[in-house]
Amino acid sequence: MYKQIGILTGGGDAPGLNAVIRAVVRTATLKFGMKCIGIEDSFEGILGETQLTKLTNKSVSGILPRGGTILGTRNRGSFCKVVDGKMIVPDMPIEEALSNLRKHEIDALVVIGGEGTLAIAEKFHRRGFPVIGVPKTIDNDLSATELTFGFMTAIDIATEALDRLHTTAASHDRVMILEVMGRNTGWIALHAGLAGSADVILIPEIPFSFEAMIKKIHQREKAGSKFTNIVVAEGACEVGQSEIFLDQKEFRLGGIGEHIRRRLEEMIDKESRCVVLGHLQRGGSPNAFDRMLGTNFGACAVRALAEGERGKMVALQANRVSTVPLSEAIANVKTVNVEGQLVRTARDIGISFAAPNVRGN
Ligand code: F6P
């Protein structure tokens, strides 16, 4: 049995991080009598001077509904660099981190993060250090788990935004465009689009054409609806074009919503407005589902460590939390199945993906 485990949160924050931290600490201390150390600012906290903080039941009390992470996080830094638009995990600081972990008598790690953070965790595992990963990201783009925590809260926020845009779009007979996050996947746009009754959903997995989008706007006008609500994933692209970046060097997606607004105004006689939801999708309190999922993930991660599992990630599969090898979890990005049930349902109820050459939608 481990005497002391380290906990860290890495990558972009997501609602539910504190729920996981709390469940890890409570399970480790109450059930297994292990001590917990919080590592601050992702892996950065185990470099140099180290930034470590003792975590007890008392110190995690009251954090369940809190947004962000009490440990701080980083999605850039010594372990994670962006070179030519790709996240690189340099090898160098791992030795230093391992020696600091030994120095502070941390025998195992629970690493809470997305693809990049879990790829670093896997490197620790390959050096023989016991690690269990917990899948976090509002993007829901991790393979091997049906859901990541944070995603459902992000959908709630995007759905509420669509509801609010609906009434102003209808009052002014405008085209309203909501740009949501998701990196190179359309999970948030697809789910929020369905829940928030978008008329057009644009996702990276289905390249769009302006002609198809305009066709849908005109169809709606003919049917008596003079407004159109469009939800666009930040990574969506026009057929034959690539994604739009706010900052190509730093690999920051953004700007597609405004690009669509400008082009539409050039092409049709209709006023349109764009809203970028941005980090509102990540901030604030997690919803009940993410508190529950985060708690279950955290407790299962500690049980897995206590049962001798290493180099694994907890994952939701068929409504049960189990473990999968970290290497499997980071192997592929999980994209929207364009032939899948949700896309089909959206098409069947008249939502357009503005795909060229698709009869109907
Ligand atoms: O991965 C989560 C995410 O919010 C993406 O949806 C988005 O592209 C990115 O992080 C934004 O990152 P940053 O916090 O660096 O702006």
Side-chain angles (χ1 to χ4, degrees):
M1 186 69 70
Y2 304 110
K3 282 209 181 96
Q4 178 156 267
I5 59 175
I7 308 163
L8 67 84
T9 53
D13 67 341
L17 282 167
N18 288 325
V20 183
I21 295 169
R22 173 177 170 270
V24 169
V25 173
R26 288 177 74 121
T27 310
T29 55
L30 299 176
K31 166 94 181 149
F32 296 106
M34 298 189 271
K35 287 189 188 149
C36 292
I37 292 275
I39 297 164
E40 292 176 14
D41 299 337
S42 186
F43 291 97
E44 299 292 320
I46 37 172
L47 293 181
E49 298 287 285
T50 69
Q51 297 155 260
L52 305 172
T53 177
K54 240 194 216 162
L55 293 176
T56 61
N57 275 329
K58 191 141 187 268
S59 59
V60 297
S61 164
I63 67 170
L64 179 62
R66 267 171 62 184
T69 158
I70 58 163
L71 295 176
T73 189
R74 295 283 180 274
N75 58 2
R76 308 276 189 277
S78 320
F79 279 93
C80 227
K81 290 198 165 61
V82 179
V83 178
D84 294 335
K86 280 207 176 85
M87 281 281 190
I88 304 275
V89 182
D91 268 339
M92 276 303 287
I94 287 189
E95 288 308 330
E96 184 187 341
L98 284 170
S99 120
N100 279 333
L101 287 170
R102 278 191 293 270
K103 191 164 113 200
H104 291 277
E105 298 179 330
I106 298 172
D107 325 305
L109 279 179
V110 174
V111 174
I112 311 164
E115 188 203 354
T117 307
L118 295 175
I120 302 168
E122 215 263 333
K123 293 202 168 217
F124 279 78
H125 166 62
R126 274 199 267 137
R127 302 282 173 100
F129 198 84
V131 181
I132 293 284
V134 178
K136 165 248 52 160
T137 166
I138 64 161
D139 305 331
N140 198 34
D141 61 352
L142 277 178
S143 59
T145 185
E146 280 160 18
L147 284 176
T148 53
F149 72 86
F151 173 60
M152 286 295 183
T153 306
I155 295 172
D156 281 353
I157 294 163
T159 301
E160 193 196 336
L162 276 170
D163 285 348
R164 288 177 183 278
L165 292 178
H166 210 115
T167 57
T168 171
S171 304
H172 286 265
D173 294 343
R174 281 174 173 159
V175 175
M176 296 301 282
I177 302 155
L178 178 70
E179 181 182 309
V180 296
M181 284 182 165
R183 292 207 295 179
N184 294 99
T185 66
W187 295 106
I188 298 177
L190 177 60
H191 283 71
L194 276 162
S197 76
D199 307 300
V200 179
I201 299 176
L202 305 175
I203 57 175
E205 294 85 349
I206 305 178
F208 65 85
S209 85
F210 279 98
E211 289 67 30
M213 210 185 308
I214 290 168
K215 194 169 134 204
K216 178 70 184 174
I217 295 169
H218 286 156
Q219 265 173 9
R220 285 180 51 76
E221 298 248 349
K222 261 198 209 143
S225 297
K226 296 199 162 35
F227 67 95
T228 296
N229 269 327
I230 300 176
V231 58
V232 57
E234 61 182 357
C237 325
E238 190 182 348
V239 176
Q241 307 290 321
S242 47
E243 319 95 302
I244 294 184
F245 290 96
L246 280 175
D247 181 340
Q248 180 116 37
K249 249 175 77 197
E250 282 288 307
F251 201 44
R252 286 178 60 216
L253 288 164
I256 183 71
E258 181 55 23
H259 172 74
I260 291 171
R261 190 199 66 76
R262 257 187 277 116
R263 287 292 308 278
L264 280 181
E265 282 203 347
E266 282 162 17
M267 294 167 93
I268 54 171
D269 183 22
K270 198 131 193 80
E271 255 194 294
S272 97
R273 298 285 187 271
C274 164
V275 172
V276 180
L277 201 50
H279 294 77
L280 289 174
Q281 290 156 101
R282 298 214 318 235
S285 190
N287 69 8
F289 183 87
D290 283 330
R291 293 180 200 191
M292 185 276 295
L293 184 64
T295 299
N296 205 12
F297 274 166
C300 288
V302 178
R303 286 205 295 272
L305 270 182
E307 282 158 18
E309 293 198 64
R310 293 155 155 247
K312 299 277 183 69
M313 180 188 84
V314 292
L316 187 73
Q317 289 177 338
N319 223 18
R320 271 201 92 251
V321 176
S322 46
T323 55
V324 293
L326 268 174
S327 52
E328 195 181 296
I330 57 174
N332 298 305
V333 169
K334 182 179 69 188
T335 53
V336 171
N337 175 2
V338 300
E339 310 289 340
Q341 197 176 54
L342 277 188
V343 171
R344 215 175 134 196
T345 294
R347 287 198 157 120
D348 287 350
I349 64 164
I351 296 173
S352 169
F353 289 89
N357 310 322
V358 174
R359 236 197 295 154
N361 306 309

